[in-house]
Every structure is written in structure tokens, then in C-alpha cells.
Short mmCIF file of all heavy atoms in Angstrom, two decimals:
data_model
loop_
_atom_site.label_atom_id
_atom_site.label_comp_id
_atom_site.label_asym_id
_atom_site.label_seq_id
_atom_site.Cartn_x
_atom_site.Cartn_y
_atom_site.Cartn_z
N ASP A 1 64.50 -105.80 5.72
CA ASP A 1 63.79 -104.58 5.36
C ASP A 1 64.68 -103.74 4.44
O ASP A 1 65.82 -103.55 4.72
CB ASP A 1 63.37 -103.82 6.62
CG ASP A 1 62.61 -102.57 6.34
OD1 ASP A 1 61.54 -102.65 5.74
OD2 ASP A 1 63.10 -101.50 6.73
N ARG A 2 64.09 -103.23 3.35
CA ARG A 2 64.90 -102.51 2.35
C ARG A 2 65.52 -101.22 2.90
O ARG A 2 66.67 -100.92 2.58
CB ARG A 2 64.02 -102.22 1.14
CG ARG A 2 63.73 -103.47 0.32
CD ARG A 2 62.93 -103.17 -0.92
NE ARG A 2 61.55 -102.79 -0.66
CZ ARG A 2 60.55 -103.67 -0.50
NH1 ARG A 2 60.80 -104.96 -0.59
NH2 ARG A 2 59.33 -103.26 -0.30
N LEU A 3 64.80 -100.52 3.73
CA LEU A 3 65.37 -99.25 4.27
C LEU A 3 66.61 -99.54 5.12
O LEU A 3 67.61 -98.83 5.03
CB LEU A 3 64.33 -98.49 5.06
CG LEU A 3 64.77 -97.11 5.53
CD1 LEU A 3 65.33 -96.24 4.38
CD2 LEU A 3 63.61 -96.38 6.19
N TYR A 4 66.57 -100.60 5.91
CA TYR A 4 67.76 -100.93 6.71
C TYR A 4 68.90 -101.39 5.83
O TYR A 4 70.07 -101.12 6.16
CB TYR A 4 67.40 -102.02 7.75
CG TYR A 4 66.71 -101.47 8.95
CD1 TYR A 4 65.34 -101.59 9.11
CD2 TYR A 4 67.42 -100.80 9.93
CE1 TYR A 4 64.71 -101.08 10.24
CE2 TYR A 4 66.80 -100.28 11.05
CZ TYR A 4 65.43 -100.42 11.20
OH TYR A 4 64.81 -99.89 12.29
N ARG A 5 68.64 -102.04 4.70
CA ARG A 5 69.71 -102.39 3.78
C ARG A 5 70.36 -101.14 3.23
O ARG A 5 71.59 -101.05 3.06
CB ARG A 5 69.18 -103.24 2.63
CG ARG A 5 68.89 -104.66 3.04
CD ARG A 5 68.73 -105.59 1.88
NE ARG A 5 67.77 -105.11 0.91
CZ ARG A 5 67.24 -105.84 -0.04
NH1 ARG A 5 67.58 -107.08 -0.16
NH2 ARG A 5 66.37 -105.34 -0.88
N TYR A 6 69.52 -100.10 2.89
CA TYR A 6 70.07 -98.85 2.41
C TYR A 6 70.91 -98.17 3.48
O TYR A 6 72.00 -97.67 3.20
CB TYR A 6 68.91 -97.93 1.96
CG TYR A 6 69.39 -96.57 1.53
CD1 TYR A 6 70.02 -96.37 0.30
CD2 TYR A 6 69.20 -95.48 2.35
CE1 TYR A 6 70.46 -95.13 -0.09
CE2 TYR A 6 69.63 -94.22 1.98
CZ TYR A 6 70.26 -94.05 0.76
OH TYR A 6 70.69 -92.81 0.38
N LEU A 7 70.42 -98.15 4.71
CA LEU A 7 71.17 -97.52 5.78
C LEU A 7 72.51 -98.20 6.00
O LEU A 7 73.53 -97.55 6.22
CB LEU A 7 70.37 -97.55 7.10
CG LEU A 7 69.12 -96.68 7.09
CD1 LEU A 7 68.39 -96.78 8.44
CD2 LEU A 7 69.40 -95.25 6.72
N GLU A 8 72.53 -99.52 5.90
CA GLU A 8 73.79 -100.26 6.03
C GLU A 8 74.75 -99.89 4.88
O GLU A 8 75.93 -99.67 5.07
CB GLU A 8 73.52 -101.76 6.03
CG GLU A 8 74.77 -102.58 6.24
CD GLU A 8 74.47 -104.06 6.29
OE1 GLU A 8 73.42 -104.44 6.83
OE2 GLU A 8 75.29 -104.85 5.77
N TYR A 9 74.20 -99.80 3.66
CA TYR A 9 74.97 -99.43 2.49
C TYR A 9 75.61 -98.05 2.67
O TYR A 9 76.75 -97.81 2.30
CB TYR A 9 74.06 -99.46 1.28
CG TYR A 9 74.60 -98.81 0.04
CD1 TYR A 9 75.57 -99.44 -0.75
CD2 TYR A 9 74.13 -97.57 -0.38
CE1 TYR A 9 76.04 -98.85 -1.90
CE2 TYR A 9 74.62 -96.96 -1.52
CZ TYR A 9 75.57 -97.62 -2.30
OH TYR A 9 76.06 -97.00 -3.42
N LYS A 10 74.85 -97.10 3.28
CA LYS A 10 75.33 -95.74 3.48
C LYS A 10 76.09 -95.58 4.81
O LYS A 10 76.55 -94.48 5.11
CB LYS A 10 74.15 -94.77 3.48
CG LYS A 10 73.40 -94.71 2.15
CD LYS A 10 74.21 -94.03 1.08
CE LYS A 10 74.14 -92.54 1.23
NZ LYS A 10 74.75 -91.84 0.10
N SER A 11 76.18 -96.63 5.61
CA SER A 11 76.83 -96.56 6.93
C SER A 11 76.14 -95.53 7.83
O SER A 11 76.80 -94.72 8.50
CB SER A 11 78.32 -96.29 6.81
OG SER A 11 78.97 -97.28 6.09
N PHE A 12 74.79 -95.55 7.81
CA PHE A 12 73.99 -94.62 8.60
C PHE A 12 73.28 -95.41 9.68
O PHE A 12 72.75 -96.49 9.42
CB PHE A 12 72.92 -93.96 7.70
CG PHE A 12 73.11 -92.51 7.51
CD1 PHE A 12 74.04 -92.02 6.64
CD2 PHE A 12 72.29 -91.61 8.19
CE1 PHE A 12 74.19 -90.67 6.48
CE2 PHE A 12 72.44 -90.26 8.02
CZ PHE A 12 73.40 -89.77 7.15
N SER A 13 73.23 -94.87 10.89
CA SER A 13 72.45 -95.49 11.93
C SER A 13 71.00 -95.09 11.76
O SER A 13 70.67 -94.08 11.13
CB SER A 13 72.93 -95.07 13.32
OG SER A 13 72.63 -93.69 13.55
N ALA A 14 70.09 -95.87 12.37
CA ALA A 14 68.67 -95.52 12.31
C ALA A 14 68.47 -94.17 12.97
O ALA A 14 67.67 -93.34 12.48
CB ALA A 14 67.83 -96.62 13.00
N TYR A 15 69.14 -93.92 14.10
CA TYR A 15 69.01 -92.65 14.80
C TYR A 15 69.45 -91.50 13.90
O TYR A 15 68.74 -90.49 13.81
CB TYR A 15 69.83 -92.67 16.07
CG TYR A 15 69.88 -91.30 16.75
CD1 TYR A 15 68.79 -90.85 17.51
CD2 TYR A 15 70.96 -90.45 16.57
CE1 TYR A 15 68.80 -89.60 18.08
CE2 TYR A 15 70.97 -89.19 17.17
CZ TYR A 15 69.89 -88.78 17.92
OH TYR A 15 69.91 -87.53 18.50
N ALA A 16 70.56 -91.60 13.24
CA ALA A 16 71.07 -90.54 12.37
C ALA A 16 70.08 -90.28 11.23
O ALA A 16 69.84 -89.14 10.84
CB ALA A 16 72.47 -90.85 11.84
N PHE A 17 69.55 -91.36 10.67
CA PHE A 17 68.58 -91.26 9.59
C PHE A 17 67.32 -90.52 10.08
O PHE A 17 66.84 -89.59 9.40
CB PHE A 17 68.22 -92.66 9.08
CG PHE A 17 67.21 -92.66 7.97
CD1 PHE A 17 67.58 -92.47 6.66
CD2 PHE A 17 65.86 -92.84 8.26
CE1 PHE A 17 66.66 -92.50 5.66
CE2 PHE A 17 64.91 -92.86 7.26
CZ PHE A 17 65.33 -92.69 5.95
N GLU A 18 66.80 -90.94 11.22
CA GLU A 18 65.60 -90.30 11.78
C GLU A 18 65.85 -88.84 12.04
O GLU A 18 65.01 -87.95 11.72
CB GLU A 18 65.20 -90.99 13.08
CG GLU A 18 64.69 -92.38 12.89
CD GLU A 18 64.62 -93.18 14.17
OE1 GLU A 18 65.27 -92.81 15.18
OE2 GLU A 18 63.97 -94.22 14.16
N HIS A 19 67.00 -88.52 12.59
CA HIS A 19 67.34 -87.14 12.91
C HIS A 19 67.43 -86.29 11.64
O HIS A 19 66.91 -85.19 11.58
CB HIS A 19 68.66 -87.08 13.70
CG HIS A 19 69.07 -85.73 14.11
ND1 HIS A 19 68.42 -85.03 15.11
CD2 HIS A 19 70.07 -84.92 13.66
CE1 HIS A 19 69.01 -83.84 15.23
NE2 HIS A 19 70.00 -83.77 14.38
N ARG A 20 68.14 -86.81 10.63
CA ARG A 20 68.31 -86.05 9.38
C ARG A 20 66.96 -85.78 8.70
O ARG A 20 66.77 -84.71 8.12
CB ARG A 20 69.25 -86.78 8.44
CG ARG A 20 69.42 -86.00 7.14
CD ARG A 20 70.44 -86.56 6.25
NE ARG A 20 71.76 -86.20 6.70
CZ ARG A 20 72.84 -86.41 6.02
NH1 ARG A 20 72.80 -86.99 4.83
NH2 ARG A 20 74.02 -86.09 6.48
N CYS A 21 66.06 -86.77 8.74
CA CYS A 21 64.79 -86.62 8.07
C CYS A 21 63.73 -85.92 8.93
O CYS A 21 62.61 -85.69 8.47
CB CYS A 21 64.26 -88.00 7.67
SG CYS A 21 65.20 -88.76 6.36
N GLY A 22 64.07 -85.60 10.18
CA GLY A 22 63.10 -84.94 11.06
C GLY A 22 62.04 -85.89 11.57
O GLY A 22 60.90 -85.46 11.85
N LEU A 23 62.38 -87.15 11.74
CA LEU A 23 61.43 -88.15 12.23
C LEU A 23 61.66 -88.37 13.72
O LEU A 23 62.74 -88.11 14.24
CB LEU A 23 61.63 -89.47 11.50
CG LEU A 23 61.54 -89.42 9.96
CD1 LEU A 23 61.92 -90.74 9.33
CD2 LEU A 23 60.13 -89.01 9.56
N SER A 24 60.66 -88.84 14.41
CA SER A 24 60.79 -89.08 15.84
C SER A 24 61.72 -90.24 16.12
O SER A 24 61.89 -91.16 15.28
CB SER A 24 59.42 -89.36 16.46
OG SER A 24 58.87 -90.53 15.92
N ASN A 25 62.36 -90.21 17.32
CA ASN A 25 63.22 -91.30 17.71
C ASN A 25 62.40 -92.58 17.78
O ASN A 25 61.29 -92.58 18.29
CB ASN A 25 63.83 -91.03 19.08
CG ASN A 25 64.82 -89.91 19.07
OD1 ASN A 25 65.33 -89.53 17.99
ND2 ASN A 25 65.17 -89.38 20.20
N GLY A 26 62.93 -93.66 17.26
CA GLY A 26 62.23 -94.94 17.27
C GLY A 26 61.27 -95.14 16.12
O GLY A 26 60.63 -96.19 16.03
N TYR A 27 61.17 -94.16 15.23
CA TYR A 27 60.23 -94.27 14.12
C TYR A 27 60.51 -95.51 13.27
O TYR A 27 59.58 -96.26 12.94
CB TYR A 27 60.28 -93.00 13.25
CG TYR A 27 59.37 -93.03 12.06
CD1 TYR A 27 58.04 -92.68 12.20
CD2 TYR A 27 59.82 -93.43 10.82
CE1 TYR A 27 57.16 -92.73 11.11
CE2 TYR A 27 58.98 -93.50 9.75
CZ TYR A 27 57.65 -93.14 9.87
OH TYR A 27 56.83 -93.20 8.81
N LEU A 28 61.75 -95.72 12.92
CA LEU A 28 62.10 -96.85 12.05
C LEU A 28 61.85 -98.19 12.75
O LEU A 28 61.40 -99.13 12.11
CB LEU A 28 63.54 -96.77 11.57
CG LEU A 28 63.88 -95.63 10.63
CD1 LEU A 28 65.32 -95.69 10.20
CD2 LEU A 28 62.97 -95.67 9.42
N GLY A 29 62.15 -98.24 14.03
CA GLY A 29 61.88 -99.49 14.78
C GLY A 29 60.40 -99.81 14.78
O GLY A 29 60.01 -100.98 14.61
N LYS A 30 59.58 -98.82 14.91
CA LYS A 30 58.12 -99.02 14.89
C LYS A 30 57.68 -99.54 13.53
O LYS A 30 56.88 -100.45 13.42
CB LYS A 30 57.42 -97.71 15.19
CG LYS A 30 55.93 -97.79 15.24
CD LYS A 30 55.33 -96.45 15.59
CE LYS A 30 53.82 -96.47 15.51
NZ LYS A 30 53.22 -95.17 15.77
N GLN A 31 58.23 -98.96 12.46
CA GLN A 31 57.91 -99.41 11.11
C GLN A 31 58.36 -100.85 10.90
O GLN A 31 57.66 -101.66 10.31
CB GLN A 31 58.57 -98.52 10.06
CG GLN A 31 58.17 -97.06 10.13
CD GLN A 31 56.68 -96.85 10.18
OE1 GLN A 31 55.97 -97.36 9.34
NE2 GLN A 31 56.21 -96.06 11.11
N PHE A 32 59.57 -101.16 11.39
CA PHE A 32 60.13 -102.50 11.21
C PHE A 32 59.29 -103.55 11.92
O PHE A 32 59.12 -104.67 11.41
CB PHE A 32 61.57 -102.51 11.70
CG PHE A 32 62.28 -103.80 11.42
CD1 PHE A 32 62.61 -104.17 10.12
CD2 PHE A 32 62.64 -104.65 12.45
CE1 PHE A 32 63.27 -105.34 9.85
CE2 PHE A 32 63.29 -105.84 12.20
CZ PHE A 32 63.62 -106.22 10.87
N ARG A 33 58.72 -103.20 13.06
CA ARG A 33 57.90 -104.12 13.79
C ARG A 33 56.50 -104.23 13.25
O ARG A 33 55.65 -104.95 13.76
CB ARG A 33 57.82 -103.74 15.28
CG ARG A 33 59.15 -103.91 16.02
CD ARG A 33 58.99 -103.69 17.51
NE ARG A 33 58.55 -102.35 17.86
CZ ARG A 33 59.30 -101.27 17.99
NH1 ARG A 33 60.60 -101.36 17.76
NH2 ARG A 33 58.78 -100.11 18.33
N GLY A 34 56.20 -103.48 12.17
CA GLY A 34 54.91 -103.58 11.51
C GLY A 34 53.79 -102.82 12.20
O GLY A 34 52.63 -103.14 12.02
N LYS A 35 54.15 -101.80 13.00
CA LYS A 35 53.12 -101.10 13.74
C LYS A 35 52.82 -99.74 13.11
O LYS A 35 52.34 -98.84 13.79
CB LYS A 35 53.56 -100.93 15.19
CG LYS A 35 53.71 -102.25 15.90
CD LYS A 35 54.01 -102.09 17.34
CE LYS A 35 54.12 -103.45 18.00
NZ LYS A 35 54.29 -103.40 19.41
N GLY A 36 53.13 -99.58 11.87
CA GLY A 36 52.88 -98.31 11.21
C GLY A 36 53.20 -98.42 9.74
O GLY A 36 53.78 -99.40 9.28
N ASN A 37 52.78 -97.41 9.01
CA ASN A 37 53.07 -97.34 7.59
C ASN A 37 53.84 -96.08 7.27
O ASN A 37 53.66 -95.08 7.95
CB ASN A 37 51.75 -97.32 6.78
CG ASN A 37 50.96 -98.58 6.91
OD1 ASN A 37 51.54 -99.66 6.85
ND2 ASN A 37 49.67 -98.47 7.08
N ILE A 38 54.69 -96.17 6.29
CA ILE A 38 55.41 -94.97 5.85
C ILE A 38 54.52 -94.25 4.88
O ILE A 38 54.19 -94.76 3.82
CB ILE A 38 56.75 -95.34 5.21
CG1 ILE A 38 57.68 -96.03 6.22
CG2 ILE A 38 57.43 -94.12 4.62
CD1 ILE A 38 59.00 -96.47 5.68
N GLY A 39 54.13 -93.03 5.23
CA GLY A 39 53.24 -92.23 4.40
C GLY A 39 53.98 -91.43 3.37
O GLY A 39 55.22 -91.37 3.36
N SER A 40 53.22 -90.80 2.50
CA SER A 40 53.81 -90.04 1.42
C SER A 40 54.64 -88.87 1.93
O SER A 40 55.68 -88.52 1.35
CB SER A 40 52.72 -89.56 0.46
OG SER A 40 51.81 -88.73 1.10
N GLY A 41 54.22 -88.25 3.01
CA GLY A 41 54.99 -87.14 3.59
C GLY A 41 56.38 -87.59 4.04
O GLY A 41 57.35 -86.87 3.85
N VAL A 42 56.44 -88.74 4.65
CA VAL A 42 57.72 -89.28 5.10
C VAL A 42 58.59 -89.66 3.92
O VAL A 42 59.78 -89.40 3.90
CB VAL A 42 57.52 -90.48 6.07
CG1 VAL A 42 58.85 -91.15 6.40
CG2 VAL A 42 56.83 -90.01 7.34
N LEU A 43 57.96 -90.25 2.89
CA LEU A 43 58.73 -90.60 1.69
C LEU A 43 59.32 -89.35 1.02
O LEU A 43 60.44 -89.36 0.55
CB LEU A 43 57.84 -91.33 0.69
CG LEU A 43 57.46 -92.76 1.08
CD1 LEU A 43 56.43 -93.34 0.11
CD2 LEU A 43 58.68 -93.65 1.18
N GLU A 44 58.56 -88.25 1.08
CA GLU A 44 59.09 -86.99 0.50
C GLU A 44 60.28 -86.48 1.32
O GLU A 44 61.26 -86.01 0.75
CB GLU A 44 57.97 -85.93 0.48
CG GLU A 44 56.92 -86.18 -0.58
CD GLU A 44 55.81 -85.18 -0.57
OE1 GLU A 44 55.99 -84.08 0.00
OE2 GLU A 44 54.74 -85.48 -1.10
N LYS A 45 60.20 -86.62 2.65
CA LYS A 45 61.35 -86.20 3.50
C LYS A 45 62.56 -87.06 3.19
O LYS A 45 63.68 -86.56 3.08
CB LYS A 45 60.98 -86.35 4.97
CG LYS A 45 60.04 -85.31 5.48
CD LYS A 45 59.78 -85.55 6.96
CE LYS A 45 58.78 -84.55 7.49
NZ LYS A 45 58.55 -84.75 8.95
N ILE A 46 62.34 -88.37 3.08
CA ILE A 46 63.43 -89.28 2.76
C ILE A 46 64.07 -88.93 1.43
O ILE A 46 65.29 -88.83 1.34
CB ILE A 46 62.93 -90.76 2.76
CG1 ILE A 46 62.53 -91.18 4.18
CG2 ILE A 46 64.02 -91.68 2.20
CD1 ILE A 46 61.85 -92.53 4.24
N LYS A 47 63.24 -88.70 0.43
CA LYS A 47 63.76 -88.39 -0.90
C LYS A 47 64.54 -87.09 -0.91
O LYS A 47 65.58 -86.97 -1.57
CB LYS A 47 62.60 -88.33 -1.91
CG LYS A 47 63.05 -88.17 -3.34
CD LYS A 47 63.86 -89.39 -3.78
CE LYS A 47 64.24 -89.24 -5.24
NZ LYS A 47 65.20 -90.29 -5.64
N SER A 48 64.07 -86.10 -0.12
CA SER A 48 64.77 -84.79 -0.11
C SER A 48 66.13 -84.89 0.57
O SER A 48 67.04 -84.16 0.22
CB SER A 48 63.90 -83.72 0.51
OG SER A 48 63.77 -83.91 1.90
N HIS A 49 66.26 -85.76 1.55
CA HIS A 49 67.53 -85.87 2.29
C HIS A 49 68.43 -86.98 1.74
O HIS A 49 69.64 -86.97 2.00
CB HIS A 49 67.25 -86.13 3.75
CG HIS A 49 66.64 -84.95 4.42
ND1 HIS A 49 67.33 -83.80 4.76
CD2 HIS A 49 65.35 -84.73 4.82
CE1 HIS A 49 66.50 -82.93 5.32
NE2 HIS A 49 65.31 -83.46 5.35
N PHE A 50 67.86 -87.92 1.00
CA PHE A 50 68.64 -89.03 0.44
C PHE A 50 68.24 -89.19 -1.04
O PHE A 50 67.58 -90.16 -1.39
CB PHE A 50 68.40 -90.32 1.22
CG PHE A 50 68.85 -90.23 2.65
CD1 PHE A 50 68.00 -89.80 3.66
CD2 PHE A 50 70.18 -90.53 2.97
CE1 PHE A 50 68.42 -89.70 4.95
CE2 PHE A 50 70.64 -90.43 4.28
CZ PHE A 50 69.76 -90.01 5.27
N PRO A 51 68.65 -88.24 -1.88
CA PRO A 51 68.18 -88.26 -3.28
C PRO A 51 68.70 -89.45 -4.09
O PRO A 51 68.13 -89.75 -5.13
CB PRO A 51 68.70 -86.93 -3.86
CG PRO A 51 69.82 -86.53 -2.95
CD PRO A 51 69.48 -87.09 -1.59
N ASP A 52 69.73 -90.13 -3.61
CA ASP A 52 70.21 -91.29 -4.36
C ASP A 52 69.39 -92.55 -4.08
O ASP A 52 69.52 -93.54 -4.79
CB ASP A 52 71.67 -91.55 -4.06
CG ASP A 52 71.93 -91.99 -2.64
OD1 ASP A 52 71.24 -91.50 -1.73
OD2 ASP A 52 72.82 -92.82 -2.41
N LEU A 53 68.53 -92.52 -3.08
CA LEU A 53 67.69 -93.67 -2.75
C LEU A 53 66.55 -93.76 -3.75
O LEU A 53 65.79 -92.80 -3.93
CB LEU A 53 67.13 -93.57 -1.34
CG LEU A 53 66.15 -94.67 -0.91
CD1 LEU A 53 66.75 -96.05 -1.02
CD2 LEU A 53 65.68 -94.39 0.51
N ASN A 54 66.40 -94.88 -4.39
CA ASN A 54 65.34 -95.12 -5.35
C ASN A 54 64.06 -95.43 -4.58
O ASN A 54 63.90 -96.52 -4.01
CB ASN A 54 65.72 -96.27 -6.27
CG ASN A 54 64.67 -96.58 -7.33
OD1 ASN A 54 63.56 -96.10 -7.26
ND2 ASN A 54 65.06 -97.38 -8.30
N ILE A 55 63.12 -94.49 -4.52
CA ILE A 55 61.89 -94.63 -3.75
C ILE A 55 61.07 -95.79 -4.32
O ILE A 55 60.41 -96.50 -3.55
CB ILE A 55 61.11 -93.32 -3.73
CG1 ILE A 55 61.92 -92.22 -2.99
CG2 ILE A 55 59.75 -93.52 -3.04
CD1 ILE A 55 62.19 -92.51 -1.51
N HIS A 56 61.06 -95.96 -5.61
CA HIS A 56 60.33 -97.10 -6.22
C HIS A 56 60.86 -98.43 -5.64
O HIS A 56 60.08 -99.30 -5.29
CB HIS A 56 60.43 -97.05 -7.74
CG HIS A 56 59.69 -98.14 -8.42
ND1 HIS A 56 58.31 -98.20 -8.46
CD2 HIS A 56 60.12 -99.25 -9.07
CE1 HIS A 56 57.93 -99.28 -9.11
NE2 HIS A 56 59.01 -99.94 -9.50
N TRP A 57 62.16 -98.58 -5.56
CA TRP A 57 62.77 -99.77 -4.98
C TRP A 57 62.37 -99.89 -3.51
O TRP A 57 62.02 -100.99 -3.05
CB TRP A 57 64.28 -99.71 -5.13
CG TRP A 57 64.97 -100.81 -4.35
CD1 TRP A 57 65.17 -102.09 -4.78
CD2 TRP A 57 65.55 -100.73 -3.06
NE1 TRP A 57 65.83 -102.80 -3.83
CE2 TRP A 57 66.05 -102.01 -2.73
CE3 TRP A 57 65.64 -99.70 -2.13
CZ2 TRP A 57 66.69 -102.27 -1.52
CZ3 TRP A 57 66.27 -99.97 -0.90
CH2 TRP A 57 66.80 -101.24 -0.62
N LEU A 58 62.40 -98.79 -2.79
CA LEU A 58 62.07 -98.80 -1.36
C LEU A 58 60.65 -99.32 -1.14
O LEU A 58 60.41 -100.15 -0.27
CB LEU A 58 62.22 -97.42 -0.76
CG LEU A 58 61.93 -97.27 0.73
CD1 LEU A 58 62.89 -98.12 1.55
CD2 LEU A 58 62.01 -95.80 1.12
N VAL A 59 59.73 -98.87 -1.95
CA VAL A 59 58.32 -99.23 -1.77
C VAL A 59 57.99 -100.60 -2.33
O VAL A 59 57.28 -101.40 -1.68
CB VAL A 59 57.42 -98.15 -2.40
CG1 VAL A 59 55.96 -98.56 -2.39
CG2 VAL A 59 57.60 -96.81 -1.69
N THR A 60 58.55 -100.93 -3.50
CA THR A 60 58.13 -102.15 -4.19
C THR A 60 59.17 -103.26 -4.19
O THR A 60 58.84 -104.43 -4.43
CB THR A 60 57.78 -101.87 -5.66
OG1 THR A 60 58.98 -101.49 -6.35
CG2 THR A 60 56.75 -100.80 -5.77
N GLY A 61 60.44 -102.92 -4.01
CA GLY A 61 61.51 -103.88 -4.14
C GLY A 61 61.95 -104.11 -5.56
O GLY A 61 62.84 -104.91 -5.81
N GLN A 62 61.38 -103.37 -6.48
CA GLN A 62 61.73 -103.51 -7.89
C GLN A 62 62.72 -102.46 -8.30
O GLN A 62 62.70 -101.34 -7.84
CB GLN A 62 60.47 -103.40 -8.75
CG GLN A 62 59.45 -104.48 -8.49
CD GLN A 62 58.18 -104.28 -9.33
OE1 GLN A 62 57.93 -103.23 -9.87
NE2 GLN A 62 57.36 -105.32 -9.33
N GLY A 63 63.64 -102.85 -9.19
CA GLY A 63 64.66 -101.91 -9.65
C GLY A 63 65.91 -101.99 -8.77
O GLY A 63 66.11 -102.96 -8.05
N THR A 64 66.70 -100.94 -8.84
CA THR A 64 67.93 -100.89 -8.06
C THR A 64 67.76 -100.02 -6.83
O THR A 64 66.87 -99.16 -6.79
CB THR A 64 69.06 -100.29 -8.93
OG1 THR A 64 68.70 -98.99 -9.38
CG2 THR A 64 69.36 -101.18 -10.13
N MET A 65 68.59 -100.27 -5.84
CA MET A 65 68.49 -99.51 -4.59
C MET A 65 68.77 -98.04 -4.75
O MET A 65 68.13 -97.20 -4.15
CB MET A 65 69.47 -100.12 -3.55
CG MET A 65 69.49 -99.37 -2.25
SD MET A 65 70.45 -100.12 -0.91
CE MET A 65 71.90 -100.75 -1.68
N THR A 66 69.74 -97.71 -5.59
CA THR A 66 70.14 -96.31 -5.75
C THR A 66 69.90 -95.87 -7.19
O THR A 66 69.88 -96.69 -8.12
CB THR A 66 71.61 -96.10 -5.36
OG1 THR A 66 72.41 -96.92 -6.17
CG2 THR A 66 71.83 -96.37 -3.88
N THR A 67 69.80 -94.58 -7.32
CA THR A 67 69.64 -93.99 -8.65
C THR A 67 71.03 -93.57 -9.09
O THR A 67 71.98 -93.52 -8.32
CB THR A 67 68.73 -92.75 -8.61
OG1 THR A 67 69.32 -91.76 -7.77
CG2 THR A 67 67.35 -93.09 -8.14
N ASN A 68 71.18 -93.20 -10.35
CA ASN A 68 72.43 -92.77 -10.90
C ASN A 68 72.55 -91.25 -10.99
O ASN A 68 73.33 -90.74 -11.76
CB ASN A 68 72.67 -93.37 -12.29
CG ASN A 68 72.84 -94.88 -12.19
OD1 ASN A 68 73.37 -95.38 -11.24
ND2 ASN A 68 72.37 -95.57 -13.23
N LEU A 69 71.77 -90.55 -10.18
CA LEU A 69 71.74 -89.07 -10.27
C LEU A 69 73.12 -88.46 -10.06
O LEU A 69 73.45 -87.46 -10.68
CB LEU A 69 70.79 -88.49 -9.23
CG LEU A 69 69.30 -88.70 -9.48
CD1 LEU A 69 68.50 -88.19 -8.30
CD2 LEU A 69 68.87 -88.03 -10.75
N TYR A 70 73.90 -89.04 -9.17
CA TYR A 70 75.17 -88.43 -8.79
C TYR A 70 76.36 -89.24 -9.22
O TYR A 70 77.46 -89.09 -8.72
CB TYR A 70 75.19 -88.20 -7.27
CG TYR A 70 74.08 -87.26 -6.84
CD1 TYR A 70 72.92 -87.72 -6.29
CD2 TYR A 70 74.22 -85.89 -7.08
CE1 TYR A 70 71.88 -86.86 -5.94
CE2 TYR A 70 73.19 -85.01 -6.73
CZ TYR A 70 72.05 -85.53 -6.16
OH TYR A 70 71.04 -84.67 -5.82
N ALA A 71 76.17 -90.10 -10.21
CA ALA A 71 77.29 -90.89 -10.73
C ALA A 71 78.29 -89.98 -11.40
O ALA A 71 77.92 -89.06 -12.13
CB ALA A 71 76.80 -91.95 -11.69
N THR A 72 79.56 -90.20 -11.13
CA THR A 72 80.61 -89.36 -11.71
C THR A 72 81.33 -90.08 -12.83
O THR A 72 82.36 -89.58 -13.30
CB THR A 72 81.59 -88.89 -10.62
OG1 THR A 72 82.13 -90.05 -10.00
CG2 THR A 72 80.91 -88.01 -9.61
N GLU A 73 80.90 -91.24 -13.20
CA GLU A 73 81.60 -91.99 -14.23
C GLU A 73 81.24 -91.47 -15.61
O GLU A 73 80.21 -91.05 -15.92
CB GLU A 73 81.26 -93.48 -14.11
CG GLU A 73 81.69 -94.01 -12.77
CD GLU A 73 81.31 -95.49 -12.62
OE1 GLU A 73 80.23 -95.88 -13.11
OE2 GLU A 73 82.09 -96.23 -12.06
#
């Protein structure tokens, strides 16, 4: 799952991610098991708390995982 790849990249636990985004405990596990869909409201929360995550990549798998918004090079 792409979101879990991003969390591993950022060294974030699912719990910490859920807490930061204001999601219920176990939300990601439910999504991973295919028992729910990530809606636009949740995507907006994710984007506001993790601006380097490429939402297009998250949804479609196309492009790169992160954006270059905060690149210092």
C-alpha cells in the first residue's frame, strides 16, 4: 500500500499518522483491509499535515512519492 510506503519513508507509525491527521485509531488498518475508502476530506487532512506527500501518487501510483516543495538544493 502506497500510504504505508510513505509512512515507512518518513519513519512514522500508523498511530502517529492517524493522530496527527485527526483520524480515528485503526483507520489505516481498516483502509488496508479494504473495508473503506479514503474520501476527499481525509485526503485534504493528509495534504495539510504532510505537504510533501504527492496526493496524485497516493491515489493513482503515478509520479513520485514526494513533491519538491521543500527541497533545499
Side-chain angles (χ1 to χ4, degrees):
D1 181 61
R2 288 183 289 274
L3 186 51
Y4 280 103
R5 286 196 307 194
Y6 176 75
L7 294 180
E8 183 177 323
Y9 167 76
K10 297 290 279 188
S11 300
F12 246 78
S13 69
Y15 172 79
F17 179 85
E18 292 165 343
H19 182 72
R20 180 173 282 189
C21 291
L23 304 173
S24 62
N25 290 343
Y27 179 84
L28 292 182
K30 182 179 176 184
Q31 302 307 310
F32 186 69
R33 290 188 301 275
K35 298 185 178 185
N37 295 317
I38 296 178
S40 61
V42 173
L43 289 174
E44 288 177 20
K45 287 180 182 182
I46 292 171
K47 187 65 177 171
S48 70
H49 293 286
F50 297 92
D52 68 323
L53 175 59
N54 182 346
I55 297 297
H56 181 71
W57 171 83
L58 180 63
V59 173
T60 67
Q62 298 176 346
T64 59
M65 177 173 39
T66 58
T67 62
N68 293 328
L69 290 175
Y70 299 99
T72 57
E73 298 178 323

